Amino acid sequence: MAPSTPLLTVRGSEGLYMVNGPPHFTESTVLPRESGKNCKVYTFSKDGTLFAWGDGEKINIINVTNKRLLHSFNLPKAVCLEFSPKNSVLATWQPYTTSKDGTAGIPNLQLYDVKTGTCLKSFNQKKMQNWCPSWSEDETICARNVNNEVHFFESNNFNTITNKLHLQKISDFVLSPGPQPYKVAVYVPGSKGAPSFVRLYQYPNFDGPHAALANKSFFKADKVTMLWNKKATAVLVIASTDVDKTGASYYGEQTLHYIATNGESAVVQLPKNGPIYDVVWNSSSTEFCAVYGFMPAKATIFNLKCDPVFDFGTGPRNAAYYSPHGHILVLAGFGNLRGQMEVWDVKNYKLISKPVASDSTYFAWCPDGEHILTATCAPRLRVNNGYKIWHYTGSVLHKYDVPSNGELWQVSWQPFLDGIFPAKTITYQAVPSDVPSEEPKVATAYRPPALRNKPITNSKLHEDEPPQNMKPQPGNDKPLSKTALKNQRKHEAKKAAKQEARSDKSPDLAPTPAPQSTPRNTLSHSTSGDPEIDRKIKNLRKKLKAIEQLKEQAATGKQLEKNQVFSAFFTWACSHYHPS
């Protein structure tokens, strides 16, 4: 039987309701519309079969398949909800409060048995950050960070702490996805000159000096983000500092580290300086994409050796999103950027489409791997709220705009387990749509009054660098294939090695005859007898040699800076100038 279409849940000033997914986009009867503005939170279970929401008085759970109400819990202040991976437990969190006399408040983190509706355990959890316990995918173990320790529970028995991972001042931890053996990555911030570090452990082997599977330390880290790949074989660590001491960035300084469970670790070398905006694993667990560098930002795919596989060039982007099947990658510029998207076939490194989702604050792939959701939500933006459903070929299939006096707060797809929707062949032709296409509004640059009646000059502050398979090649305007690119890199490496060997030869050896392409105006090596003239001739000879190097770089497709071109032209003109 074909899988059902994912539902779309919408929460805003018009209430809470569900919409049927593509191709119908009609309001669903699974959840009767909850009118009003009382709903503060909702969530689906991992497989999408259960749905929980708060109506301002109670937390309700329904079965999406048969629309039956399962439980209601009297939690009017709850603002966070999360199901365990196999739908056994619902975790709820509400702000922690203390009494006026300073005594400890009542526990604010509750764990409910979804089957019986009973409260399994209550904890004190003061901070909203990392409030939810972490389960393994089979719910065999569950972990919480408590007073710089990681406490482990087994089989959802929260009355007994089975194991503890104790390191001085553990700040964060992440459980690995997938089945046994379970692994955990922990982060300990540095102090008093000692570096910060991330360590990988295999549960329950935490004791002993050699218990860690891998360890990576670094000095520049006020906080880290740890990303496991799907097969739990490696972790990517984005280490960030709050302040960039060099003064080069407002966003602090970031570095990207790779740590494997076999003990290997490395710093991922990023060719362009600047912030790291986003890093994401492919679902294959064999490669990852990083978006980095001062605007226009670069995007590069790396393999497990941290070597670059493909360079997408530069552009206005700050986010990357792999499709659920891992065969399509979207590079996008949201937030303070214009919402330009690039949709790539990452098997053939071919551009599929370049849609524009202006003012978008949210992006999500549909579980079917074909459709995309973009939305403009409050409070990030309080005007032009609404959402759009796209096909990855760039067609807008459905659009909803919130009335001018209303707001959209949250919108999301119903999740499905992996493998429910099979991967389909990628198409490059835009699918038909009944929604009229909108041309994105192009904001004209400000022009001072003195220039408004004069011709507009097309000048750019930055020249965008094209993707590596679209760079112009000498005598060939067609993009190169992957094999041709590999052969070209080998040829360039051999050429550079030969030039280096020639430069290392002894100066008393006979010089090789100059090639026929040597310019006729090359200055003689003979001296004039005047030291001042000889010095000028020597400097001019250096500049002419630099021009030849720039010509070789341009011939290989390297993008030259404008100041390099101008300097080369000026030097060439000077060498050809002969006063009468």
Side-chain angles (χ1 to χ4, degrees):
M1 186 177 72
S4 59
T5 304
L7 296 170
L8 203 66
T9 306
V10 183
R11 182 176 70 91
S13 56
E14 296 180 305
L16 175 71
Y17 59 97
M18 290 185 181
V19 176
N20 292 311
H24 303 295
F25 305 111
T26 55
E27 187 163 339
S28 173
T29 58
V30 169
L31 176 70
R33 182 185 285 253
E34 292 268 344
S35 301
K37 303 179 181 180
N38 294 326
C39 179
K40 295 181 179 179
V41 61
Y42 72 79
T43 189
F44 275 101
S45 61
K46 299 294 185 295
D47 59 1
T49 58
L50 301 181
F51 181 76
W53 80 98
D55 59 9
E57 296 181 359
K58 295 180 180 180
I59 298 297
N60 306 300
I61 305 176
I62 62 168
N63 186 309
V64 176
T65 306
N66 57 25
K67 309 175 187 179
R68 187 167 61 91
L69 179 66
L70 301 180
H71 300 289
S72 292
F73 306 113
N74 187 23
L75 296 168
K77 296 181 180 180
V79 293
C80 295
L81 302 174
E82 190 75 27
F83 282 100
S84 61
K86 297 181 73 67
N87 305 343
S88 301
V89 179
L90 174 68
T92 69
W93 184 89
Q94 54 190 343
Y96 182 77
T97 57
T98 57
S99 58
K100 294 181 179 179
D101 57 3
T103 56
I106 59 173
N108 60 323
L109 169 60
Q110 278 84 26
L111 303 177
Y112 289 93
D113 187 324
V114 173
K115 189 173 183 179
T116 63
T118 58
C119 183
L120 298 173
K121 188 69 175 178
S122 296
F123 297 102
N124 287 329
Q125 177 67 33
K126 295 182 180 180
K127 295 182 179 179
M128 186 176 182
Q129 183 181 8
N130 300 327
W131 70 272
C132 188
S134 296
W135 280 272
S136 60
E137 286 191 0
D138 58 4
E139 294 189 13
T140 299
I141 63 172
C142 178
R144 288 186 68 230
N145 189 356
V146 182
N147 297 328
N148 301 321
E149 288 183 339
V150 182
H151 292 181
F152 291 87
F153 307 90
E154 292 187 356
S155 303
N156 288 328
N157 178 12
F158 299 100
N159 295 315
T160 304
I161 300 174
T162 308
N163 279 289
K164 289 184 181 181
L165 174 54
H166 177 71
L167 290 173
Q168 195 170 13
K169 297 183 179 179
I170 291 179
S171 176
D172 196 9
F173 78 97
V174 182
L175 275 183
S176 65
Q180 297 186 31
Y182 313 113
K183 305 176 188 72
V184 57
V186 295
Y187 164 62
V188 176
S191 61
K192 296 181 180 179
S196 307
F197 62 85
V198 170
R199 286 180 186 167
L200 308 185
Y201 291 92
Q202 181 172 307
Y203 181 84
N205 304 322
F206 301 140
D207 298 326
H210 304 291
L213 300 175
N215 179 78
K216 181 67 177 177
S217 58
F218 28 78
F219 281 95
K220 294 183 178 180
D222 294 323
K223 58 183 178 181
V224 302
T225 302
M226 296 177 286
L227 305 169
W228 281 99
N229 62 7
K230 194 173 181 180
K231 294 182 179 179
T233 57
V235 177
L236 289 172
V237 179
I238 307 172
S240 308
T241 58
D242 295 330
V243 178
D244 185 355
K245 294 182 180 179
T246 64
S249 173
Y250 292 110
Y251 307 101
E253 190 176 0
Q254 293 91 24
T255 52
L256 181 60
H257 305 265
Y258 170 87
I259 312 174
T261 53
N262 62 5
E264 296 178 354
S265 63
V267 178
V268 182
Q269 300 297 330
L270 303 177
K272 188 173 184 179
N273 294 329
I276 299 174
Y277 304 102
D278 198 10
V279 179
V280 59
W281 280 102
N282 191 317
S283 58
S284 66
S285 298
T286 58
E287 62 185 27
F288 58 92
C289 180
V291 182
Y292 58 93
F294 295 112
M295 289 293 169
K298 284 182 75 72
T300 307
I301 290 179
F302 297 88
N303 59 21
L304 295 182
K305 295 181 179 179
C306 300
D307 295 328
V309 176
F310 187 81
D311 181 8
F312 294 96
T314 60
R317 54 174 82 109
N318 56 12
Y321 307 92
Y322 276 107
S323 64
H325 304 102
H327 61 324
I328 299 176
L329 174 68
V330 176
L331 302 175
F334 296 138
N336 58 349
L337 299 177
R338 290 173 52 193
Q340 294 171 292
M341 296 187 288
E342 301 170 38
V343 184
W344 286 85
D345 173 359
V346 291
K347 289 187 178 180
N348 301 307
Y349 297 118
K350 187 175 179 181
L351 185 64
I352 301 173
S353 62
K354 291 187 71 172
V356 178
S358 301
D359 301 329
S360 294
T361 61
Y362 179 77
F363 176 102
W365 273 99
C366 180
D368 64 9
E370 286 194 87
H371 299 91
I372 291 169
L373 167 66
T374 62
T376 304
C377 300
R380 179 64 187 267
L381 284 177
R382 297 188 182 277
V383 294
N384 300 327
N385 282 188
Y387 65 87
K388 293 179 182 178
I389 308 297
W390 307 71
H391 192 266
Y392 66 79
T393 54
S395 302
V396 178
L397 303 181
H398 177 66
K399 176 184 176 183
Y400 177 74
D401 293 325
V402 175
S404 57
N405 59 344
E407 291 181 349
L408 176 66
W409 300 328
Q410 189 179 1
V411 58
S412 61
W413 293 106
Q414 175 191 12
F416 279 74
L417 295 177
D418 294 340
I420 298 296
F421 293 93
K424 296 183 180 179
T425 304
I426 294 176
T427 180
Y428 297 92
Q429 186 174 359
V431 300
S433 172
D434 297 331
V435 179
S437 60
E438 295 180 359
E439 292 295 328
K441 298 178 181 179
V442 179
T444 57
Y446 170 77
R447 304 197 69 197
L451 297 178
R452 288 175 185 171
N453 295 325
K454 295 183 179 181
I456 300 175
T457 57
N458 293 325
S459 60
K460 289 185 177 180
L461 184 62
H462 302 285
E463 290 292 338
D464 286 347
E465 179 185 330
Q468 70 179 47
N469 61 350
M470 295 184 184
K471 291 181 179 179
Q473 305 296 327
N476 183 16
D477 295 333
K478 295 181 180 179
L480 293 180
S481 64
K482 293 171 71 174
T483 306
L485 283 169
K486 186 177 181 181
N487 292 335
Q488 182 192 357
R489 282 196 292 267
K490 287 183 178 179
H491 177 71
E492 290 176 354
K494 288 181 180 178
K495 186 177 179 182
K498 286 182 180 179
Q499 289 179 349
E500 202 171 319
R502 287 176 184 171
S503 63
D504 291 341
K505 285 183 179 180
S506 176
D508 58 347
L509 295 177
T512 56
Q516 294 181 358
S517 60
T518 304
R520 293 181 181 179
N521 64 304
T522 303
L523 299 176
S524 173
H525 287 260
S526 60
T527 60
S528 64
D530 188 338
E532 184 65 23
I533 294 177
D534 289 344
R535 183 179 62 81
K536 291 181 179 180
I537 291 175
K538 185 179 179 181
N539 290 337
L540 188 57
R541 192 178 292 122
K542 286 183 179 178
K543 292 180 179 179
L544 289 174
K545 185 178 179 182
I547 291 174
E548 293 303 318
Q549 292 176 349
L550 289 174
K551 285 182 180 179
E552 291 178 4
Q553 292 176 7
T556 59
K558 182 176 180 180
Q559 190 79 19
L560 300 181
E561 301 291 339
K562 290 182 179 180
N563 61 341
Q564 290 178 311
V565 178
F566 177 80
S567 176
F569 174 75
F570 181 80
T571 305
W572 177 86
C574 290
S575 66
H576 283 69
Y577 175 69
H578 298 286
S580 56

